[in-house]
Amino acid sequence: MGCGVTKSDQFHRQGKAVTTIKAAVLIQRWYRQYVARTEMRRRYTWHIFQSIEYSGEQAQIKLYNFLGYLMDNFTPSSNERNLISHIFRENEVCRDAEWERYFCYKNIEVPELYSGPHLTFPLTVEQATGLVEAFRDKRQLHSRYVLQLLLETWKLLRMLPNISRVSTCHSKEITICGDLHGQMEDLLLIFYKNGMPSLEKPYVFNGDFVDRGKDSIEILLILFSFLLLYPSELHLNRGNHEDHIVNLRYGFTREVLTKYKMHGKRILKLLQKIFSWLPLATVIDQKVLVLHGGISDCTDLSVLARVDRHNYVSALRPPKKRHQSAAGMSVDSDVDDEVWASNKLNQRRVSLTFPKPLGTRESFQNRSLQDFSNRVKVPVEEELEIRRRQAGLSGLFNSGFSSSQKNLNLSVSSDLSQESTDTNDVAKEEWKQILDLLWSDPMSQDGCVPNEVRGGGCYWGPDVTEDFLNRHNLQLIIRSHECKQDGYEFCHNRKVLTLFSASNYYDVGSNRGAYVKLGPDLVPYVVQYQASNMTRELTVRQSVGRTERSALKVLREQLFAHKSDLICAFQEFDNENKGLVSLNDWATALESVMHLGLPWRMLRSQLTCKTSDGMLDYQDWLNELAIKEPNMDHIDQSLLETLYRHRSTLETIFRIVDTDNSGFITMEDFRQTWKLLSVYLKMEITDEAISDLAVTIDKNQDGSIDIHEFMEAFRLTDKKSRLERGRSMFMGTTPDLVKLEGDPNI
Amino acid sequence: MAPKKPEPKKEAVKAFPEPEAAKEPDFDPHSIKIEFSADQIEEFKEAFQLFDRTPENQMKITYSQCGDVMRALGQNPTNAEVHRVLGRPKAEDMDSKLVDFETFLPMLQHVAQSKDQGTFEDFVEGLRVFDKEGNGTVMGAELRHVLATLGERMTEVEVDQLMGGQEDGNGCINYEAFVKHIMAG
């Protein structure tokens, strides 16, 4: 840079400047393209996870509906009925008075070797904070203390009302947290950022503390200890996952049984009771309602305040009815035949479908009104006719026809007293209120329609919110239940706030978590966070890439599971039988089978299909997705596919059948389970095929099947990504249970 | 080696404003013939829908999203080009006004036909401008400065995102590798 600037110098510099600007603009353009493409990938990855998650929930509810229906319609004498009955009742015959004895912890000894925390009751603050630290250091609480803590919690919860009423007077700010789903790291992060619960620091935890993540029991123990310490400052709302039947599928049951080999079952039983006693909602300053799922057009807080909430042990089962046993003792049992059958009939009319996807659905964001008329308005006579036919056709079950017909009789017969009909109606209404509260989701359109995607609760619109808030003189609903990118989302003119506190829920980098602080002005102040050091080190592009790979893997598994259906759909487009379809037809066929509302054309390049002249060889493509387990060759392909598709359900049932939690079931039980499933799936599965399958899995030929081995056989063998995979959507597995083999004394 | 001072360039910037705004006429959507295939159009619809955040899912996006959707579909317009095909809307309209798919398609077509896409070579050439020593590297600091002050400026956050992890111990960037990194996105 000399001082004598000649004209040619200046000219030269101007030329260089233009080039520089052009270069800058070029780089900037490319950068913006790269950002836009990353954003697009992020969005469709999200769609994939969410669609698959919800359809999994739906599948489970369908299964239970089906099993319940079988319960209604077949005689007590058949073996199959015993199995189903077992699934629902789980030997629940204890009387109230006996429970405390069953849960007694006093004779459980804590060995000297035990290095975890010791608890004494009543708890102190030091013990509670000590517990948090111990869990952070990956130590485990001894089952004696677990049971003791849970018992104290149970006693306390029984005294709490259905709806907690809280006030922000004394200038207190209340902190509200959403779903945690076993992700203790997030809870620790919240406590770190916001402080632990105390007299000055009230908290509301809005349900779904358990399932999916690997530290569900630790989260519960932390929350319960603070509850015992500060019962007026710490508030818990029940979520749809505080439900032992849901837990069977989504990992909590497995977690507890693995961590507590000796006393796990007892702990789970006690938790079942505790879950049913969790309050349903919290109201702050009489203006802000906090509940887990949402509302419907029927939701009535005065009804909810009155219900016997502990009767609703699981939202997937009918309410328990208290009646006099022969010995004159008060016994809790399921509301049986007379009341139950008609109850169930009405409930299930909307959801009684066999596992066929629900017709074409728009892209996931479009929750347009579904047409239910063909399903909802089936007249009773028609319904009975259908069941008679089904009862008659099934060769596997003895149809105790006359007794089932009696059960199906809806009109007030001489068998039903007036009183039990009233009970029936009330029970029905209450059950719906609770189901709606725990399972509903908001939608953008006005109105209120059943939530077919999840299989329970409703979709409710802004008009319903408006009406509800006015009727109850409220100004805001805070709910959780749905994972949100930013950890929170307002809707319905900012009258509904969704709050989700499990960051990286679908995979590392997928979303942030959030909590809300509410002061006397009742203006929500949102704080976001994202747990895990890993996230911070990854660039946006890297974390999107990881999540995307996860999602695509899950999606490929889904596609493989529907291979036969896909081939049929492709063949319809392939008139000349060349084994080729156009890309457009490929996308159309995929959506018609999968019903996930995904942008298939955009995903095409990721699902690796090579094309020539714009045509795709679909057989080739599907073979690429195949399971590569060599010793499965002699098993029928379609059976394999079915197994694969329903492996979550299969595992759930296996675990129920495995009553002593040994991880093994007998061949006989295995066959029984298969027979059940084959009816459910309307598939011909011969005894021979089942035996072949069992023999293959029963490697040591000892007549029992290792559940874990069985399920392992049906993963796609792609070892590297199996390790990478953060969380399996289907299995609800927690692959990092490695550490839990730890202390045998616990 | 000290980076060049920006002062001499400032005058140059004034003398050479971005060409597009002065020379090109207003964008006329009716003059555009759609040459995309039906398959391609279906794919564009998917992308469009992915970005649709209207509460009623009306299949509409805001003006400010148009550029993003075009880029997500593999196009590479400058902000000025996007602004032009949108009909040069006012700043306050960018986030509020909506565009439906039929209106969007001719804009996308026009952008797709633009000759000025910028290839890998153009890109490398552009970066070579900053390669003082002619050794295949540029100073990270200088590049950051340029991107934040010249052309269609980027924010500091954006610059960080772009350049994060690209500089070596000396603050230098191998620009061919850098270009591959960008193009791979």
Side-chain angles (χ1 to χ4, degrees):
Chain A
M1 319 300 131
C3 33
V5 178
T6 64
K7 196 127 194 220
S8 71
D9 269 347
Q10 198 174 28
F11 203 68
H12 176 72
R13 222 178 289 141
Q14 281 173 346
K16 201 124 194 242
V18 172
T19 323
T20 311
I21 293 169
K22 271 191 146 171
V25 171
L26 199 53
I27 298 168
Q28 287 155 345
R29 274 159 75 172
W30 277 103
Y31 167 73
R32 291 184 171 114
Q33 194 205 60
Y34 144 96
V35 167
R37 292 189 83 121
T38 305
E39 175 61 15
M40 180 188 79
R41 285 160 66 202
R42 202 191 48 69
R43 285 180 189 230
Y44 66 59
T45 300
W46 187 265
H47 268 225
I48 293 174
F49 275 128
Q50 199 165 43
S51 301
I52 293 177
E53 171 180 8
Y54 291 173
S55 72
E57 285 182 345
Q58 185 196 88
Q60 173 168 29
I61 291 186
K62 278 188 189 152
L63 174 68
Y64 278 98
N65 282 340
F66 175 76
L67 293 173
Y69 154 70
L70 288 179
M71 272 265 277
D72 289 346
N73 292 291
F74 300 104
T75 58
S77 58
S78 67
N79 289 334
E80 289 80 5
R81 188 167 209 247
N82 284 342
L83 180 63
I84 302 163
S85 163
H86 172 71
I87 288 171
F88 277 98
R89 290 162 195 275
E90 297 182 80
N91 302 317
E92 195 178 308
V93 291
C94 289
R95 284 169 286 200
D96 263 14
E98 292 178 345
W99 283 121
E100 294 234 355
R101 199 159 16 109
Y102 177 70
F103 293 135
C104 191
Y105 56 88
K106 294 200 172 103
N107 48 5
I108 302 177
E109 287 215 10
V110 181
E112 285 196 23
L113 281 171
Y114 171 69
S115 59
H118 296 266
L119 298 180
T120 57
F121 289 81
L123 280 180
T124 62
V125 178
E126 290 75 30
Q127 288 186 354
T129 47
L131 201 60
V132 175
E133 274 169 29
F135 290 152
R136 197 180 50 213
D137 298 336
K138 313 276 191 239
R139 278 175 287 150
Q140 195 170 315
L141 185 65
H142 196 277
S143 48
R144 179 202 170 96
Y145 299 128
V146 173
L147 282 168
Q148 204 172 354
L149 180 59
L150 292 180
L151 266 172
E152 293 299 313
T153 306
W154 184 33
K155 283 192 233 167
L156 172 61
L157 287 175
R158 273 155 31 186
M159 299 190 299
L160 297 180
N162 295 347
I163 301 180
S164 314
R165 295 200 173 259
V166 183
S167 126
T168 59
C169 67
H170 314 307
S171 305
K172 277 194 224 179
E173 262 186 336
I174 296 184
T175 308
I176 301 152
C177 300
D179 293 22
L180 287 167
H181 280 302
Q183 297 187 184
M184 192 174 59
E185 220 175 42
D186 285 300
L187 182 60
L188 295 179
L189 188 51
I190 295 172
F191 283 168
Y192 177 71
K193 284 171 84 80
N194 196 51
M196 303 238 211
S198 69
L199 293 171
E200 287 74 43
K201 199 146 280 218
Y203 271 86
V204 178
F205 286 92
N206 202 12
D208 277 12
F209 319 119
V210 302
D211 278 334
R212 295 205 171 99
K214 60 182 177 57
D215 298 314
S216 299
I217 187 71
E218 281 76 23
I219 288 185
L220 282 183
L221 294 170
I222 292 174
L223 293 179
F224 292 160
S225 10
F226 281 107
L227 176 68
L228 290 172
L229 270 178
Y230 305 115
S232 309
E233 282 74 31
L234 189 100
H235 303 276
L236 301 175
N237 291 337
R238 190 177 181 184
N240 63 308
H241 277 262
E242 275 71 58
D243 180 328
H244 70 288
I245 293 189
V246 176
N247 299 149
L248 282 167
R249 187 189 185 99
Y250 289 100
F252 180 50
T253 309
R254 197 183 309 120
E255 180 191 324
V256 173
L257 294 176
T258 310
K259 287 178 177 173
Y260 293 98
K261 288 194 174 9
M262 268 189 72
H263 301 287
K265 261 226 129 194
R266 243 194 280 184
I267 292 173
L268 285 170
K269 202 75 201 173
L270 187 42
L271 279 168
Q272 199 177 309
K273 295 200 157 308
I274 286 177
F275 286 165
S276 73
W277 275 107
L278 283 171
L280 299 173
T282 303
V283 177
I284 301 173
D285 286 352
Q286 301 175 60
K287 285 286 168 201
V288 178
L289 174 65
V290 188
L291 38 61
H292 177 75
I295 59 172
S296 72
D297 51 4
C298 306
T299 302
D300 184 344
L301 289 182
S302 51
V303 171
L304 283 168
R306 282 194 322 256
V307 305
D308 282 332
R309 69 183 190 270
H310 68 285
N311 285 338
Y312 302 89
V313 175
S314 165
L316 298 172
R317 288 172 63 179
K320 292 157 71 117
K321 177 181 148 196
R322 199 144 267 216
H323 62 253
Q324 300 294 97
S325 75
M329 305 275 307
S330 173
V331 178
D332 269 349
S333 69
D334 286 318
V335 171
D336 226 330
D337 297 321
E338 333 88 69
V339 179
W340 209 79
S342 39
N343 202 355
K344 259 305 200 177
L345 195 61
N346 285 326
Q347 277 292 334
R348 233 180 289 120
R349 199 175 273 161
V350 181
S351 52
L352 182 68
T353 53
F354 290 108
K356 272 224 153 298
L358 293 163
T360 45
R361 206 153 40 83
E362 303 274 289
S363 101
F364 196 70
Q365 287 170 320
N366 277 343
R367 288 182 181 155
S368 51
L369 285 170
Q370 307 263 9
D371 178 23
F372 303 115
S373 52
N374 55 342
R375 244 173 289 146
V376 170
K377 292 187 173 60
V378 171
V380 175
E381 299 72 53
E382 215 177 302
E383 186 94 304
L384 285 173
E385 181 56 50
I386 294 171
R387 287 172 183 226
R388 272 185 217 122
R389 264 188 273 125
Q390 283 168 341
L393 278 175
S394 173
L396 296 171
F397 295 90
N398 296 323
S399 52
F401 188 67
S402 51
S403 59
S404 56
Q405 190 179 11
K406 188 170 85 167
N407 287 341
L408 292 173
N409 196 335
L410 275 185
S411 56
V412 182
S413 74
S414 53
D415 288 308
L416 299 172
S417 68
Q418 188 60 39
E419 194 191 288
S420 48
T421 317
D422 285 345
T423 324
N424 168 23
D425 286 340
V426 169
K428 218 166 64 181
E429 194 209 339
E430 289 181 356
W431 190 19
K432 180 186 192 310
Q433 292 270 341
I434 294 185
L435 209 58
D436 289 340
L437 184 151
L438 296 175
W439 284 82
S440 299
D441 289 315
M443 63 174 176
S444 45
Q445 292 92 336
D446 279 346
C448 187
V449 297
N451 190 332
E452 292 271 323
V453 174
R454 303 249 201 189
C458 298
Y459 285 125
W460 88 90
D463 56 337
V464 177
T465 298
E466 191 66 35
D467 184 55
F468 177 82
L469 292 175
N470 288 335
R471 250 186 302 129
H472 291 93
N473 207 12
L474 297 164
Q475 72 191 42
L476 173 66
I477 297 175
I478 299 180
R479 45 88 64 174
S480 302
H481 197 42
E482 283 181 296
C483 182
K484 294 291 174 191
Q485 188 75 35
D486 294 318
Y488 76 101
E489 191 175 272
F490 281 99
C491 66
H492 293 189
N493 298 321
R494 292 186 77 90
K495 302 248 174 86
V496 174
L497 169 60
T498 302
L499 193 59
F500 198 81
S501 300
S503 66
N504 304 324
Y505 180 61
Y506 291 129
D507 201 342
V508 175
S510 68
N511 64 289
R512 295 156 100 179
Y515 59 86
V516 156
K517 297 181 76 79
L518 219 54
D521 58 0
L522 297 182
V523 173
Y525 172 69
V526 181
V527 179
Q528 296 166 299
Y529 55 84
Q530 197 157 20
S532 163
N533 293 323
M534 258 169 55
T535 332
R536 278 177 239 121
E537 281 159 21
L538 293 175
T539 62
V540 170
R541 198 246 213 107
Q542 280 173 320
S543 71
V544 167
R546 264 190 69 126
T547 320
E548 188 188 9
R549 275 194 296 277
S550 245
L552 290 168
K553 182 161 191 313
V554 160
L555 189 54
R556 271 186 226 113
E557 291 176 6
Q558 271 278 312
L559 290 171
F560 174 77
H562 290 83
K563 188 169 158 178
S564 318
D565 286 345
L566 284 172
I567 291 183
C568 283
F570 289 145
Q571 280 168 344
E572 285 190 27
F573 286 106
D574 180 17
N575 295 323
E576 297 166 39
N577 242 344
K578 286 190 179 161
L580 299 172
V581 285
S582 75
L583 289 170
N584 205 34
D585 290 339
W586 173 84
T588 314
L590 275 182
E591 183 55 27
S592 73
V593 171
M594 305 301 294
H595 296 287
L596 290 171
L598 292 174
W600 297 106
R601 290 169 191 81
M602 303 192 85
L603 295 170
R604 177 176 40 86
S605 57
Q606 302 284 20
L607 294 172
T608 53
C609 15
K610 296 161 287 223
T611 61
S612 47
D613 301 330
M615 299 297 278
L616 168 78
D617 183 330
Y618 53 87
Q619 289 283 9
D620 250 4
W621 178 61
L622 285 168
N623 286 336
E624 269 177 43
L625 298 171
I627 289 177
K628 294 172 182 68
E629 184 67 38
N631 65 348
M632 291 287 155
D633 284 343
H634 63 289
I635 306 289
D636 177 57
Q637 270 298 308
S638 70
L639 177 59
L640 208 60
E641 194 183 305
T642 308
L643 263 177
Y644 192 74
R645 192 190 313 194
H646 297 280
R647 62 203 200 285
S648 242
T649 304
L650 200 52
E651 181 174 359
T652 309
I653 297 181
F654 281 160
R655 293 208 177 273
I656 300 168
V657 171
D658 174 23
T659 48
D660 59 359
N661 302 304
S662 57
F664 289 87
I665 59 172
T666 64
M667 291 284 272
E668 189 46 41
D669 280 343
F670 180 77
R671 275 195 204 95
Q672 294 266 20
T673 309
W674 264 103
K675 280 191 183 170
L676 255 184
L677 268 177
S678 68
V679 175
Y680 179 53
L681 304 174
K682 296 201 280 189
M683 252 190 79
E684 258 313 304
I685 303 181
T686 61
D687 278 356
E688 209 192 308
I690 297 177
S691 292
D692 275 349
L693 198 58
V695 161
T696 311
I697 307 296
D698 176 19
K699 297 211 169 85
N700 57 359
Q701 308 290 336
D702 64 353
S704 67
I705 293 176
D706 182 326
I707 300 174
H708 182 72
E709 256 188 37
F710 184 85
M711 300 317 299
E712 271 298 304
F714 296 98
R715 296 184 201 272
L716 287 172
T717 50
D718 185 0
K719 288 201 180 68
K720 183 177 150 206
S721 35
R722 208 193 306 169
L723 289 170
E724 267 186 341
R725 186 165 45 164
R727 185 178 283 115
S728 166
M729 293 306 303
F730 297 108
M731 307 302 290
T733 25
T734 48
D736 319 290
L737 290 178
V738 177
K739 285 199 167 97
L740 302 165
E741 292 306 314
D743 190 338
N745 297 311
I746 291 178
Chain B
M1 189 165 117
K4 266 196 193 134
K5 292 201 184 109
E7 279 80 300
K9 286 182 193 157
K10 260 194 201 153
E11 286 174 28
V13 170
K14 282 192 195 136
F16 293 90
E18 293 175 31
E20 293 95 343
K23 287 186 195 159
E24 298 200 25
D26 286 344
F27 174 69
D28 175 17
H30 302 294
S31 66
I32 303 292
K33 178 168 172 281
I34 303 296
E35 287 170 20
F36 296 123
S37 71
D39 277 352
Q40 282 176 305
I41 292 178
E42 286 306 306
E43 191 171 334
F44 301 156
K45 276 189 185 157
E46 280 183 352
F48 200 81
Q49 197 152 46
L50 215 50
F51 281 81
D52 175 9
R53 303 226 88 185
T54 56
E56 307 294 305
N57 294 308
Q58 299 158 27
M59 265 293 257
K60 288 187 182 164
I61 58 175
T62 63
Y63 276 21
S64 54
Q65 286 176 299
C66 284
D68 292 334
V69 182
M70 289 182 198
R71 289 168 180 129
L73 289 171
Q75 300 309 321
N76 203 3
T78 59
N79 284 343
E81 277 173 336
V82 175
H83 199 242
R84 192 178 82 83
V85 298
L86 282 170
R88 303 213 179 94
K90 291 176 276 211
E92 55 266 25
D93 289 340
M94 290 299 282
D95 280 324
S96 51
K97 282 207 166 160
L98 299 175
V99 166
D100 65 15
F101 187 71
E102 283 64 44
T103 314
F104 175 76
L105 200 53
M107 296 186 210
L108 181 66
Q109 180 75 75
H110 177 77
V111 162
Q113 286 164 346
S114 162
K115 306 271 186 300
D116 187 18
Q117 294 283 349
T119 61
F120 179 84
E121 286 73 31
D122 289 333
F123 204 170
V124 173
E125 271 309 304
L127 281 166
R128 196 162 284 146
V129 168
F130 304 103
D131 183 3
K132 303 295 161 11
E133 301 181 32
N135 61 358
T137 67
V138 298
M139 284 290 294
E142 180 167 4
L143 192 54
R144 280 169 185 266
H145 181 79
V146 165
L147 293 175
T149 53
L150 293 189
E152 297 192 328
R153 293 181 225 156
M154 287 162 60
T155 65
E156 234 183 83
V157 171
E158 288 176 325
V159 172
D160 274 336
Q161 250 194 10
L162 172 63
M163 314 236 336
Q166 298 299 312
E167 289 144 299
D168 67 16
N170 295 324
C172 293
I173 296 180
N174 173 313
Y175 52 83
E176 284 207 32
F178 180 64
V179 169
K180 287 210 179 88
H181 158 72
I182 300 292
M183 307 282 266

